Each structure stands twice: as C-alpha cells, then as structure tokens.
C-alpha cells in the first residue's frame, strides 16, 4: 500500500484507474506472496491476456439497468438480479468471460442477522432404543451421501441422482475435439486463431454454466430432505487427481507402465463431476436451513461389509458388493452411503457423551 504513491508518480497513467482498484491489486499480490512463503507455489505473472478481474471497494451505484463505476461512469448492464430494498452496495467485482464482462455486487443490510452454523452437539433430537435420551442430545435423522461418477450422488435411503457428464459425454468430447483441431490449423498469432480459441472458451463456459445450475439443483434436492443432518465424504480431490508415481526397471532404467494412461480418463471424469463445488453448495444451503453437515472419512466405506464388518478390496466388483466372508450382497455405492451415515451417527453419539462427561465433572465440583 505504501508504494502506491511512488508507483503513481512513476506511471502517470495510474491516475486513470480508481484508487481502490489499485489497492485491491496490491492486496492480491501480498496474498500471493504469503501463499508462496507458506509453500503454496510461486505467484504467476499477470499480463494483459490473463488479468481478467478487478474490484471496486466504494463509489459503486446502481439504478435499474445502469451501474456507476468510478473512473468509468455510468454503464448499461443486464440486471439479472435486482438489489433488494434496504441493502447497500459494499463492493463490486468485474470479471471478463468468453462472452463478455460480468459484474458481481456485494451488498449488506445490518438489520438482517447472519446465518449461524448450528453446532452438532446442540441439535435437538430423539434417541434410539437402548440409549438414555436424558443424558444426551442426538441428531434424529441423518442422510448419508456417497459421491460417484456413474451416479453423481448415492443416498443411504437408496435414491440416486444421475451424473449428466457435461464435458465427458460423447457429443461434448466430439465438439471439443473438432473446435480444438480448428485452432491448431490456424496460423499462430493470427486473428482467425484467436476467434477459434474464443469459440472453444465459450463452449467451456457453456459447460460450466450447465454444471453449476445442475449442482445447485442437486444441492437443493439434498438439503430439502426432511433430515437433521447430512453426512458427506471428506474427500481429498486434489490428491485423487495426482499423477501416478513413476516406475522404472531396476536393471535397464527404462520406464514401466504405471497406469497413468488409464487414470487419465478417471481424472477427467472426477473433474467433470466437480465434487468439491457440490459439497460447498450443500454446506451453504444447509447453513441457511439450519441443518448440520458432517464430513466423514470415507476410507474403506465401499469395501466394508455391513453384515459382518469384513473389509477386503475383493468384496467390491464395480457396482456390485459381495462379501467374501459371509456372502452379503448389496449395491456397493448405496452400501457406502449407509456406512457413511452410520459413521456420522457414531460421531454424534461420541460427541454427545463427551459433553455429558464434561457437564458431570463440573457438577461434581
């Protein structure tokens, strides 16, 4: 921040840019270097082509289908969502996309209370047989969710939600292949190549918009269930997308097959499903409706037998689950959703018992 006055003297054209925009860019740079010193990668240089967003912190006004931006003046825009009465504009961010510029406005109304995430140990609930309800408060009902690729979500009540595969279906892959080929046939640096690349970008944006709209619909479907809590997998998606380790022959030093070519298709399907974004949407809507989201370690959830508890990789064959010990059979992903639900229930019981022990100790003193 303190270097901005010197930068403005060295570059007079900085006077044409709003001061809050410059301040936000300096904050971005500071955040990037903090991430670097904490081991999150070196900051990437932003040039004219990839610096596509900036933020105003004050001075933004909106009237109907017009918006005022400092140093730019009044501009017309498509008012897709009008600002409710009583709210004030706090900031506005402009982003350049393949089909034009978009503006997102942050608004505030201090009279409206914030959404508060309900703690797991404060949820009122009844308890099953054999457990004293006076000693503990538990979640009355939990919906277990197992995220997948063949089906996007498997529920513990045996319902399933389809996965449209927006970017990995046959039609989308063929269209992308044709349009990418057209880019490669154009001369590098030519206007026709930029036009062809812009078409590919618009196609990717169309896929992203479809996926986002579908995920909001799925998240609403999950959260609107009549349950007190939603159990989700605590997934490390970035770790799942990591490349396979390199294998070499000890004698010759030649590279051996490590399964990366097969994993490439799986990685593409995982990215298309976008589980992390879906989980964020579910958490957001759950807080608004006062429900609890419990993240459970999904380790061996689809390989553990629900009848005898035997865990073995050979228990699962695709979507089929047949226990090698007792012969119990079920849909593998639905069984995993039930296991996640049961693990979440055990978590509720354990937390409730810990609270009871703590309260009892205080009373004894």
């Amino acid at each position: 921040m303190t270097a901005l006055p010197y930068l403005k003297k060295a570059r007079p054209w900085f006077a044409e840019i709003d001061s809050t925009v410059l301040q936000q860019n300096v904050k971005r740079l500071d955040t990037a270097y903090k991430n670097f010193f904490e081991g999150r990668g070196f900051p990437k240089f932003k040039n004219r082509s990839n610096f596509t967003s900036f933020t105003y912190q004050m001075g933004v006004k909106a009237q109907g289908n017009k918006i005022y931006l400092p140093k730019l003046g009044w501009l017309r825009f498509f008012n897709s969502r009008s600002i409710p009465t009583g709210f004030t504009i706090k900031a506005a961010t402009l982003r350049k996309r393949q089909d034009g510029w978009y503006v997102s406005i942050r608004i505030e109304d201090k009279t409206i209370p914030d959404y508060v995430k309900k703690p797991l140990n404060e949820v009122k609930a009844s308890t099953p047989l054999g457990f004293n309800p006076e000693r503990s408060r538990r979640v009355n009902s939990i919906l277990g969710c197992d995220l997948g690729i063949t089906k996007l979500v498997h529920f513990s009540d045996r319902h399933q939600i389809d996965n449209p595969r927006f970017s990995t279906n046959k039609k989308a892959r063929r269209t992308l292949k044709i349009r990418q080929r057209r880019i490669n046939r154009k001369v590098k640096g030519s206007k026709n190549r930029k036009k062809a690349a812009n078409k590919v970008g618009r196609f990717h944006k169309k896929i992203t918009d479809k996926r986002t709209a579908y995920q909001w619909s799925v998240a609403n479907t999950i959260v609107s269930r009549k349950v007190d809590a939603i159990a989700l997998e605590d997934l490390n998606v970035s770790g799942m997308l990591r490349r396979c380790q390199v294998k070499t022959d000890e004698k010759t030093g030649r590279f051996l097959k490590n399964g990366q070519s097969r994993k490439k298709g799986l990685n593409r399907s995982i990215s298309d499903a976008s589980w992390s974004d879906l989980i964020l949407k579910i958490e957001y809507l759950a807080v608004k409706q006062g429900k609890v989201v419990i993240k459970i370690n999904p380790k061996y959830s689809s390989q553990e037998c629900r009848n005898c508890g035997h865990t073995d990789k050979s228990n699962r064959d695709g979507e089929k689950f047949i226990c090698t010990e007792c012969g119990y059979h079920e849909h593998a992903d639905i069984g995993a959703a039930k296991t996640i639900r049961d693990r979440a229930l055990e978590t509720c019981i354990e937390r409730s018992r810990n609270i009871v022990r703590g309260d009892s100790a205080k009373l004894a003193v």
Side-chain angles (χ1 to χ4, degrees):
M1 293 294 182
T2 55
L4 273 178
Y6 302 100
L7 291 174
K8 287 182 179 180
K9 290 181 180 180
R11 298 168 176 82
W13 55 272
F14 272 16
E16 301 176 3
I17 306 174
D18 183 68
S19 59
T20 60
V21 173
L22 296 174
Q23 291 169 8
Q24 291 302 310
N25 291 339
V26 174
K27 283 186 177 180
R28 287 187 187 182
L29 181 63
D30 182 57
T31 303
Y33 273 104
K34 281 183 178 179
N35 291 334
F36 165 69
F37 289 117
E38 292 176 2
R40 298 191 185 97
F42 193 80
K44 294 182 180 179
F45 176 74
K46 299 291 185 180
N47 56 23
R48 183 178 177 180
S49 61
N50 57 22
F51 190 83
T52 56
S53 67
F54 54 93
T55 302
Y56 288 94
Q57 283 296 109
M58 60 178 65
V60 180
K61 295 179 285 186
Q63 293 180 1
N65 64 339
K66 292 184 178 180
I67 185 170
Y68 177 79
L69 301 174
K71 298 290 185 178
L72 295 179
W74 288 96
L75 303 172
R76 286 192 299 175
F77 75 110
F78 178 73
N79 192 2
S80 61
R81 188 182 304 173
S82 58
I83 300 174
T85 56
F87 283 82
T88 57
I89 298 176
K90 302 298 292 183
T93 300
L94 276 76
R95 295 181 177 88
K96 186 180 180 181
R97 295 291 183 258
Q98 285 75 13
D99 56 348
W101 285 87
Y102 287 76
V103 57
S104 58
I105 301 174
R106 187 167 73 244
I107 57 179
E108 181 186 30
D109 187 355
K110 294 183 178 179
T111 61
I112 299 177
D114 296 333
Y115 291 110
V116 179
K117 187 175 181 180
K118 187 182 295 185
L120 180 60
N121 52 33
E122 293 184 3
V123 179
K124 295 181 180 179
S126 59
T127 52
L129 295 176
F131 196 81
N132 187 357
E134 296 179 359
R135 293 189 56 193
S136 175
R137 291 175 295 177
R138 283 189 49 203
V139 172
N140 187 31
S141 56
I142 298 178
L143 179 67
C145 301
D146 178 75
L147 304 179
I149 294 176
T150 307
K151 299 287 184 180
L152 185 59
V153 186
H154 304 267
F155 296 147
S156 55
D157 56 4
R158 307 196 69 82
H159 288 279
Q160 297 173 328
I161 295 180
D162 293 331
N163 183 13
R165 294 174 176 266
F166 292 106
S167 65
T168 55
N169 61 65
K170 188 176 180 180
K171 183 178 179 180
R173 293 181 65 180
R174 183 176 182 274
T175 303
L176 184 60
K177 183 178 180 180
I178 292 173
R179 295 189 181 183
Q180 190 67 45
R181 187 185 297 154
R182 289 174 182 171
I183 296 177
N184 297 333
R185 288 175 177 173
K186 302 292 190 298
V187 178
K188 289 185 178 181
S190 64
K191 291 185 177 180
N192 286 333
R193 187 181 178 94
K194 291 181 181 179
K195 290 178 183 179
N198 194 24
K199 284 187 178 181
V200 174
R202 289 201 301 269
F203 181 69
H204 279 295
K205 185 181 180 300
K206 183 178 180 181
I207 291 174
T208 303
D209 292 343
K210 285 183 178 180
R211 183 188 296 115
T212 302
Y214 185 73
Q215 285 189 346
W216 279 116
S217 176
V218 171
N220 273 300
T221 301
I222 295 173
V223 176
S224 61
R225 292 294 187 93
K226 294 182 179 180
V227 292
D228 297 325
I230 301 167
L232 300 173
E233 299 174 279
D234 190 8
L235 297 174
N236 180 15
V237 179
S238 60
M240 298 171 69
L241 296 176
R242 199 168 294 144
R243 293 180 61 88
C244 298
Q245 293 183 355
V246 178
K247 294 182 179 179
T248 56
D249 194 332
E250 296 180 357
K251 296 182 179 179
T252 61
R254 295 174 61 89
F255 291 106
L256 302 176
K257 292 183 178 180
N258 60 349
Q260 179 59 36
S261 58
R262 288 184 300 171
K263 193 174 184 296
K264 183 180 178 181
L266 177 63
N267 291 352
R268 189 181 291 116
S269 298
I270 293 174
S271 299
D272 184 27
S274 190
W275 294 331
S276 298
D277 290 341
L278 178 59
I279 291 173
L280 289 176
K281 292 177 175 64
I282 293 172
E283 291 178 334
Y284 171 76
L285 294 177
V287 171
K288 292 183 68 175
Q289 296 196 17
K291 296 186 178 180
V292 182
V293 174
I294 310 170
K295 288 190 175 181
I296 301 298
N297 184 4
K299 191 173 183 180
Y300 305 127
S301 59
S302 62
Q303 301 175 11
E304 180 182 343
C305 179
R306 295 186 48 78
N307 186 38
C308 65
H310 176 67
T311 302
D312 190 0
K313 185 178 180 179
S314 60
N315 286 347
R316 178 169 182 172
D317 182 15
E319 296 183 352
K320 298 179 181 178
F321 181 91
I322 302 176
C323 181
T324 56
E325 286 288 325
C326 64
Y328 175 78
H329 60 88
E330 192 179 14
H331 191 286
D333 294 315
I334 292 177
K338 292 180 179 179
T339 302
I340 291 169
R341 177 199 60 192
D342 294 344
R343 291 179 182 179
L345 199 60
E346 293 174 0
T347 302
C348 295
I349 295 173
E350 186 62 29
R351 292 190 183 183
S352 300
R353 285 175 176 169
N354 290 338
I355 292 171
V356 171
R357 291 192 192 100
D359 292 342
S360 300
K362 290 179 182 178
L363 289 173
V365 173

